[in-house]
Amino acid sequence: VKRVAVIGAAGQLGSALVKVLEERGLEPVPFTRGALDVCDHDGTKATLAEARPDAVINTAAYLAVDLAEDEVTQAFAVNAIAVKNLALVTAALDVPLVHVSTDYVFGADASRSTPYTETDAPGPQGVYGNSKLAGEYFVREYAPKHYVVRSAGLYETIGSRKKGGNFIETMLKLAAAGRSLKVVEDQVLTPTYTPDLAAAIVELLRTEAYGLYHATNGGDCSWYAFAGAIFELAGVEADLSPTTTAEYGAKAPRPAYSVLDNTKLHAAGVTPLRSWRDALAAYLSRRNA
Ligand SMILES: NC(=O)c1ccc[n+]([C@@H]2O[C@H](COP(=O)([O-])OP(=O)(O)OC[C@H]3O[C@@H](n4cnc5c(N)ncnc54)[C@H](OP(=O)(O)O)[C@@H]3O)[C@@H](O)[C@H]2O)c1
């Protein structure tokens, strides 16, 4: 594998992938939405056939979890129907497809308290999770050389895109403005730093051990605990208190527990990702550099 097409290249994970591919001596072929809209099936086919990549990584997604409850057609168009097309196109080109999915394919089991493995039955709750799961099934059915990589709680390097504004920056901005902050304590997951996930994906791509994988930073925490660690590691005083998902009242349901077991990824030969806390510390030191 040398030339690797990255779809959704302007996104959090897409931009990290382009950088890691360059660092590892591979040749990224980045496609932003303007250059390749996955919902344009014929255009996707023609563009990829012309680019002649050795592998394709799809990070494009409809990610507005709450809005998806109303925009069902749009969510499924990007997260499932377009992914079916990508699976067919990459299969016809006989190149591997890496497709990125989410911990939100789990969550329906309210009593769960141990990390999910790849053999656990999925149980999505809302439109977003259902549309992403449908996308996974298309890839697994139509693209023989596939890696489906589920991750969680992504945040990117500060300043890597013009858009900016991830959870960490939002917390720091609100604390600096002297606002009191309430953050949910009943959603437990593993926040994951996109450069770490990108490095794992690029390693995985070189294994030819096709299949379904879970890939996150190590350990777990609630969003409330994550916010606490942000302030602690940044040395910022903040008026932080816990709240509940019910009190917060978002439109779409979210998993109470969606920690992903990474054992299979490590067994495939991919270096374990560092703990979420170490990744957060790295993010913050890079931010202040
Ligand atoms: N963010 C998370 O917390 C999280 C957690 C678990 C899994 N994931 C998964 O990780 C992957 C990457 O997420 P991310 O956080 O990097 O998302 P992101 O920053 O929003 O990046 C997604 C990119 O895809 C582009 N895109 C959207 N619709 C497209 C289309 N029809 N054709 C081509 N490109 C399109 C977006 O462009 P525009 O900006 O122009 O819309 C954006 O640049 C997704 O598969 C997501 O489901 C994310």
Side-chain angles (χ1 to χ4, degrees), residues 92 111 117 191 289:
S111 65
T117 70

PDB file of all heavy atoms in Angstrom, residues 92 111 117 191 289:
ATOM      1  N   ALA A  92     -14.731  -3.298  -6.683  1.00  0.00           N
ATOM      2  CA  ALA A  92     -14.495  -3.379  -8.131  1.00  0.00           C
ATOM      3  C   ALA A  92     -13.055  -2.986  -8.471  1.00  0.00           C
ATOM      4  O   ALA A  92     -12.447  -3.539  -9.385  1.00  0.00           O
ATOM      5  CB  ALA A  92     -15.481  -2.481  -8.870  1.00  0.00           C
ATOM      6  N   SER A 111     -27.752  -1.826  31.246  1.00  0.00           N
ATOM      7  CA  SER A 111     -27.077  -2.407  32.407  1.00  0.00           C
ATOM      8  C   SER A 111     -25.604  -2.714  32.136  1.00  0.00           C
ATOM      9  O   SER A 111     -24.892  -3.197  33.002  1.00  0.00           O
ATOM     10  CB  SER A 111     -27.787  -3.702  32.822  1.00  0.00           C
ATOM     11  OG  SER A 111     -27.641  -4.654  31.790  1.00  0.00           O
ATOM     12  N   THR A 117     -16.784  -5.970  22.980  1.00  0.00           N
ATOM     13  CA  THR A 117     -15.863  -6.542  22.000  1.00  0.00           C
ATOM     14  C   THR A 117     -16.561  -6.564  20.633  1.00  0.00           C
ATOM     15  O   THR A 117     -17.764  -6.314  20.536  1.00  0.00           O
ATOM     16  CB  THR A 117     -15.453  -7.984  22.362  1.00  0.00           C
ATOM     17  OG1 THR A 117     -16.595  -8.829  22.188  1.00  0.00           O
ATOM     18  CG2 THR A 117     -14.939  -8.083  23.787  1.00  0.00           C
ATOM     19  N   PRO A 191     -12.743   8.921  25.470  1.00  0.00           N
ATOM     20  CA  PRO A 191     -12.419  10.000  24.529  1.00  0.00           C
ATOM     21  C   PRO A 191     -11.126   9.654  23.798  1.00  0.00           C
ATOM     22  O   PRO A 191     -10.194   9.120  24.422  1.00  0.00           O
ATOM     23  CB  PRO A 191     -12.225  11.221  25.429  1.00  0.00           C
ATOM     24  CG  PRO A 191     -12.858  10.872  26.724  1.00  0.00           C
ATOM     25  CD  PRO A 191     -12.773   9.383  26.859  1.00  0.00           C
ATOM     26  N   ALA A 289       2.246  24.812  23.429  1.00  0.00           N
ATOM     27  CA  ALA A 289       3.621  24.905  22.907  1.00  0.00           C
ATOM     28  C   ALA A 289       3.782  26.162  22.059  1.00  0.00           C
ATOM     29  O   ALA A 289       2.836  26.633  21.442  1.00  0.00           O
ATOM     30  CB  ALA A 289       3.955  23.685  22.096  1.00  0.00           C
TER      31      ALA A 289
END
